[in-house]
Amino acid sequence: MAQNYYDVLGVPRGASDDEIKKAYRKLAMTYHPDRNDGDKRSEAKFKEATEAYEVLLDSDKRARYDRYGEAGLRGGGAGFDFHHFDLSEALSVFMRDFGGFGGFDSIFGGGRRSQRQVRKGQDIRIRLQISLDEVAKGSTRKVKMRALETCEECGGSGSRKGVEPSTCSTCSGSGEVRQATRSFFGQFVSVMPCPNCGGEGTVIRDPCSECRGDGRTRRERLVQVEIPPGISENNYLTLRGQGAAGPRGGSPGDLIVVLEVEDDERFERSGDDLVYHLPLSFSQAALGTDASVPSPYGNFKLTIPAGTQAGTVLTVRGKGLPNLGSGAKGSLHVKVQVWTPGKLTTEMKDLFERLAEVEGEPPAEAGIGRRFWNKMKEALGA
């Protein structure tokens, strides 16, 4: 949706939860499809209002939306994909928060919709390991999963092929039963799932031999997962309708893909920035050199200036990881580590002895720094 969510609900950016609920309830009552004979424009307004309500009422989603706009709601970090927010989800949100108050279900005749909700399939959660290079560039992965799928023999009806399920005699196909109670305050009507058909409105008299009346069988299938650049550890992606099929024609659940980023021995990660430790010899640090440095986008040449000290950090912008919300890339920090050879050849020893005669004492600042780091290593038990 292109409109601003606050404008959709008609509330200010600092609106409280109560103000958001009140504004949404008013719009939902106006544009609910069952009050408008299935009018497409009203249906679109209802979905739009529900989408805005679902984002602004959730503190995490609202914070991402306030900071990044719609881009902050895409992909795994949000757990919500507004591009796939359909009518059944909008109705589910409405009934979840308001269905138990004011007799809305009776007003709208929502028995049939509750049947679909009763038959909805389970959500499935899987873990997927990805590399740091995939975090940097994004990728498309195909995941093999085993889940309950619609029975091919009966088409998901649960009934033997060619035999239609029977209408429940208890609820006459509505999937629910009502009980009226009178009190001092007036008449109250309680609505509950039909105990005979479990809220489905139909009864299987002659079950399918393949699925035994469930409408589902367990099979393997491949699912394509689009991984956006900038994902972090334990971010997740929600694939609407890719979970388990619902029993007897019910809507499918969702597939929730929890992402785990594999350790990369080349780098340390700090948000969108990366740290790389570059080993240099004494001569390279003293004379300067051109070093080949890795990055998630390939190796590049970095010029090390003469006289570079151990611990010097050279920052290369744009070689880090992309930000999930904005897409801007972080930096790669190259930390210089001067390598000291463990064993010296006779020739190397002679050269170092000659160097010691002419190099003199290190500057006072270097000595202070060395003593400081020695104390730090002692404190850490290094």
Side-chain angles (χ1 to χ4, degrees), residues 328-379:
K329 292 178 181 178
S331 299
L332 174 60
H333 304 286
V334 181
K335 187 172 184 179
V336 173
Q337 293 183 328
V338 178
W339 168 71
T340 303
K343 291 184 179 180
L344 299 178
T345 64
T346 302
E347 184 180 5
M348 290 170 65
K349 186 176 180 180
D350 290 342
L351 289 172
F352 277 119
E353 287 175 348
R354 289 169 56 192
L355 177 61
E357 293 174 0
V358 298
E359 69 177 346
E361 292 295 324
E365 293 81 2
I368 293 173
R370 187 180 297 110
R371 288 194 297 273
F372 171 79
W373 285 112
N374 286 339
K375 289 181 179 179
M376 286 292 292
K377 288 179 180 179
E378 290 173 4

Side-chain angles (χ1 to χ4, degrees), residues 34-352:
D34 287 348
R35 278 195 158 188
N36 294 275
D37 297 323
D39 177 67
K40 292 299 182 183
R41 181 178 178 277
S42 296
E43 180 182 309
K45 288 284 188 182
F46 178 74
K47 290 192 293 184
E48 184 179 65
T50 308
E51 178 183 303
Y53 167 74
E54 185 76 342
V55 170
L56 298 184
L57 198 65
D58 185 295
S59 59
D60 290 337
K61 294 174 186 173
R62 185 174 180 178
R64 283 193 295 271
Y65 178 72
D66 287 344
R67 186 173 181 184
Y68 302 115
E70 291 182 352
L73 303 175
R74 295 192 181 102
F80 175 81
D81 188 345
F82 57 86
H83 289 300
H84 295 95
F85 202 89
D86 58 25
L87 179 60
S88 65
E89 290 175 299
L91 290 166
S92 176
V93 169
F94 175 74
M95 294 306 297
R96 178 196 69 197
D97 290 359
F98 297 100
F101 302 96
F104 286 173
D105 194 36
S106 298
I107 290 173
F108 297 140
R112 289 290 179 183
R113 301 195 193 285
S114 66
Q115 292 174 37
R116 290 199 294 267
Q117 197 62 28
V118 168
R119 295 199 301 263
K120 184 177 180 181
Q122 289 184 329
D123 293 343
I124 297 176
R125 182 183 294 265
I126 63 173
R127 292 188 174 273
L128 179 62
Q129 288 195 334
I130 61 174
S131 67
L132 198 67
D133 288 345
E134 288 178 295
V135 174
K137 304 170 189 176
S139 70
T140 300
R141 295 279 293 274
K142 289 187 176 180
V143 179
K144 181 183 289 187
M145 57 177 287
R146 186 173 179 82
L148 289 170
E149 303 291 333
T150 300
C151 176
E152 295 178 345
E153 177 66 22
C154 66
S157 70
S159 188
R160 185 168 59 84
K161 193 171 184 179
V163 179
E164 293 294 326
S166 303
T167 301
C168 176
S169 59
T170 302
C171 64
S172 299
S174 68
E176 60 189 24
V177 292
R178 289 171 166 77
Q179 182 177 359
T181 305
R182 291 189 177 276
S183 71
F184 177 78
F185 299 100
Q187 178 173 293
F188 292 88
V189 178
S190 60
V191 182
M192 61 192 71
C194 174
N196 184 46
C197 65
E200 294 186 17
T202 58
V203 177
I204 304 298
R205 304 293 185 189
D206 190 358
C208 169
S209 59
E210 184 70 23
C211 64
R212 299 181 181 180
D214 185 61
R216 303 174 296 177
T217 56
R218 193 171 294 276
R219 299 196 307 273
E220 281 190 352
R221 62 183 165 98
L222 285 176
V223 178
Q224 184 167 293
V225 180
E226 300 287 343
I227 302 170
I231 284 289
S232 298
E233 180 78 10
N234 289 327
N235 278 170
Y236 61 91
L237 305 173
T238 300
L239 279 63
R240 303 290 187 189
Q242 294 292 326
R248 291 176 291 282
S251 59
D254 299 332
L255 176 62
I256 300 169
V257 184
V258 181
L259 299 172
E260 297 178 343
V261 182
E262 298 171 345
D263 290 336
D264 192 314
E265 61 182 12
R266 299 172 299 173
F267 309 108
E268 296 172 8
R269 182 177 182 179
S270 177
D272 300 331
D273 291 351
L274 296 174
V275 178
Y276 174 71
H277 294 271
L278 175 65
L280 295 178
S281 67
F282 286 139
S283 58
Q284 288 175 318
L287 301 174
T289 186
D290 286 334
S292 177
V293 176
S295 83
Y297 315 100
N299 291 3
F300 66 96
K301 185 170 69 174
L302 179 64
T303 298
I304 310 299
T308 295
Q309 302 298 311
T312 297
V313 177
L314 304 174
T315 297
V316 184
R317 300 190 183 279
K319 292 292 186 180
L321 301 175
N323 182 274
L324 183 60
S326 66
K329 292 178 181 178
S331 299
L332 174 60
H333 304 286
V334 181
K335 187 172 184 179
V336 173
Q337 293 183 328
V338 178
W339 168 71
T340 303
K343 291 184 179 180
L344 299 178
T345 64
T346 302
E347 184 180 5
M348 290 170 65
K349 186 176 180 180
D350 290 342
L351 289 172
F352 277 119

